[in-house]
Structures are given as C-alpha cells and as structure tokens.
Amino acid sequence: MSILKCSEVINLDKKYHMNTFGDRVPVSFERGKGLYLYAADGSRYADFMGGIAVNALGHVNDTVAAALHEQIDKVIHTSNLYYIENQAVLAKKLVDISCADKVFFANSGAEANEAAIKLARLYHYNRGDGFKNEIVTAVNSFHGRTLATLAATGQSKFHEPYKPLVTAFKYVLANDFEEMAQAVGEKTCAIMLEVIQGESGVRPLTNEYLSKVRRLCDEKEILLIFDEIQTGMGRTGKMFGYENFDVQPDIFTLAKALGGGVPIGAVCAKDFCSVFAPGDHGSTFGGNPLACTAALAVIKVMEKESLVKNSEKMGVYFMDRINKACANKIKEVRGKGLMIGVELFTEAKPIVLEMFKRGYLCGSVKNTVRILPPLIINKQDIDNFTEALGGVLS
Ligand code: PLP
C-alpha cells in the first residue's frame, strides 16, 4: 500500500526534487502488470508509452521478476574487478543475435553513446590517423544529456546553456545525402545516426539514404554508428532497427528496453573497431550481475513469445487502425513496428492529457502523439486505444 497521496508526492517533488521534468502528468503509480499501470486509488491506465520505450515486456513480467528475485538473493553487485557470469553470457547473446562481435556494458543510453564516441576517436587514434575527432550527426537527433551526447544531439535548444560544447560535432539534415557527403572531412571519424529519430517526433531515415551513408563511410574509412537506444530490442518490428534496412553499422548502442526497466546500456561493435584496451574505458556499475540478469531474462521472453514478430505485425495493424479511426483528423502516421508517431494539425500535449483522463498513457512532441507500447499488445488493446484517440480528436 502507498503511504502518501498523489498530491503529497507532488508537493514533496516540487519542494525537494530539481525541476528537470516540469509539471508532470499528475499521477504516481503504485504498481503495474502487463500493459497496465495502477495508481494508489486503484485507477488503471493502459500504458502506450512503455516508460519511454523501456518496458518492452509490459510491467512486472513474471519471468523477469523471478530471475531478478533469484539474482537479488544471490548477489547484486561485485564490480568489474572480477569476472561476471551473466555479463559474459549476455555479451555472447547480443553478439549471437546482432552484427556485432564485442560488447561493453554501461548504465544508460547516454553512457553507451559516450562509449561509442570514445571508441570512434580511439579507433582512428590507434590507426595513427592523427586526431580525427569530429562526428557528423543529424539535425533533430537525440543522443543523450551528458556533455558529449548533448553536443552530439542536433538540436540547439539543448546546447545553449552548456557552451562551450564538446565541439567535435557537425549536424546535417537527415535524409539529405549531399549535405552529409559535404560535411564529412579530414577530421571526421564517424557518422552517428538514429535509424528512426525518436525524441524529435518519430522520423524514419530512408533505406536509400542509409545505404549511401554506409558506402560513404566505407570509402572514407570512417565508422558508422547507429544509436539504437530507442529503436533496438524489437521496438521497430526487428530485433535491431538497422535490420529494417540493407545496412549494418560498425558500432551500435542499446539501452532502454534492454533491461526491461533495470538500467543497463551497451555499446556493440564489430571486431575491427572494438579497440578499447585496459584503462581506456570502464564503469563501476556497468554490466553488473543484476542488470545483466534482467537483460538476459528480457531477451529470453522476447524470443520465447516471438515478441519481435508481434511488434512487426501489431505495428502494421496499429498504423492501419489509426489511419482508419482518425482519418481527416490527423496529418500523418509515421514509424515502424511499435514506434509510432501520429502527427496532428495542432499541438499534441492537450490530446495526450485527454487520453490520460480516459485511462491511456502516450506521449507528445510538438504536434506529434508518440506511441511506444509494450511489444506484448494485441489487436483488442490497439482497437481500444485508437477508438479513444479517434474520440478525443473529434
Ligand atoms: N539516444 C536515444 C536515441 C534516445 O532516445 C535516448 C533517450 O531518450 C538517449 C540516447 C539517452 O538515453 P538515456 O536517457 O538512457 O541516457
């Protein structure tokens, strides 16, 4: 049972927590199961935001919960001074199911991207290429909030107060190959892209663009990094977003759904650029027994329940349903799998609040409603949501 009322939580938060999140949706959840979250007063919400693409299995999946309970009773953290069984097993698993050969574990998306940025610079440093330290990223990208990853993020609103930036980033319009080709120069060590830009409103890159970028990287001998923090782990209807395209990255990063809610990030790389040597990088918590247990259990459930396939199938159904239920009330539906953006003619935030009042959680960026449900959803869940959305938009 909760001890505090939601209004009391809000008062405490306003007084003692830094105001990074502004006025949040006025609810504090007590528990969750599957698609649903429950507030202390018993009210139930269908969670189509999935903890911002984290809760791929829904809330409190039985297999993951059991694995975590068992691990907590054994050992939670030992440090990377010692070998960690589940860290080694998880690294092998990620290699087995992806194009990568080696993995390093971090604790968050931003940290995984920091590691990828360091890896790209180190790769060229080790080759004796001089200081190739510049990375080209896309306008409207989002790569995190540490000093390097906010600089990598191609949105100036994140930069202003933190100047001077870690300067070695150039930003180009997504899907404009000419601009990309011109931006790559003597100092470029890598290109870093989200295959579908998430935080700026669900904007997919095209296969043609990504194929050309891949060829450019090969010609110039620079690294292609995909930030798969949001698109990874089945979100787009494939285990990794790049599988939707005819392109493989040299390095890709994961976080969000990897641990199903337990913080873990990963940088995954091909052998030739897995150049971290002892002392080059590290982490106290990264890849600890608890986090790796969570990730192994998440992948096990995804495979056993064919959730990536479900993401692909339900994604197609979802977009079709939105188009039908909301025709004439929306500008466009974008996305892949269960990473969906619905662009409206007006600001999306009031719509998201109306959906909340009707028991549905989703997100907003400017005019776009963001939908990131767990990969376990079925047609009935989707019908309920789209009907509610159609009603709210009316
Ligand atoms: N990269 C992408 C594509 C993201 O969507 C996010 C978070 O939204 C991040 C990086 C940062 O991840 P984290 O918040 O775990 O640091």
Side-chain angles (χ1 to χ4, degrees), residues 210-227:
L210 287 172
S211 303
K212 284 183 178 169
V213 170
R214 175 69 271 178
R215 280 201 294 279
L216 180 69
C217 289
D218 293 340
E219 273 163 37
K220 302 279 182 191
E221 297 189 13
I222 60 175
L223 299 175
L224 181 57
I225 304 171
F226 284 164
D227 176 340

Side-chain angles (χ1 to χ4, degrees), residues 194-269:
E194 297 156 89
V195 292
I196 303 174
Q197 295 183 333
E199 294 302 290
S200 62
V202 192
R203 299 166 192 280
L205 302 189
T206 67
N207 190 42
E208 190 195 352
Y209 176 73
L210 287 172
S211 303
K212 284 183 178 169
V213 170
R214 175 69 271 178
R215 280 201 294 279
L216 180 69
C217 289
D218 293 340
E219 273 163 37
K220 302 279 182 191
E221 297 189 13
I222 60 175
L223 299 175
L224 181 57
I225 304 171
F226 284 164
D227 176 340
E228 293 257 13
I229 282 154
Q230 194 159 148
T231 51
M233 307 313 297
R235 175 57 49 196
T236 67
K238 303 281 180 208
M239 185 55 102
F240 305 105
Y242 68 81
E243 294 173 67
N244 290 292
F245 306 90
D246 304 318
V247 169
Q248 283 187 357
D250 301 308
I251 299 174
F252 67 92
T253 51
L254 297 172
K256 289 202 183 268
L258 179 59
V262 176
I264 181 169
V267 54
C268 310

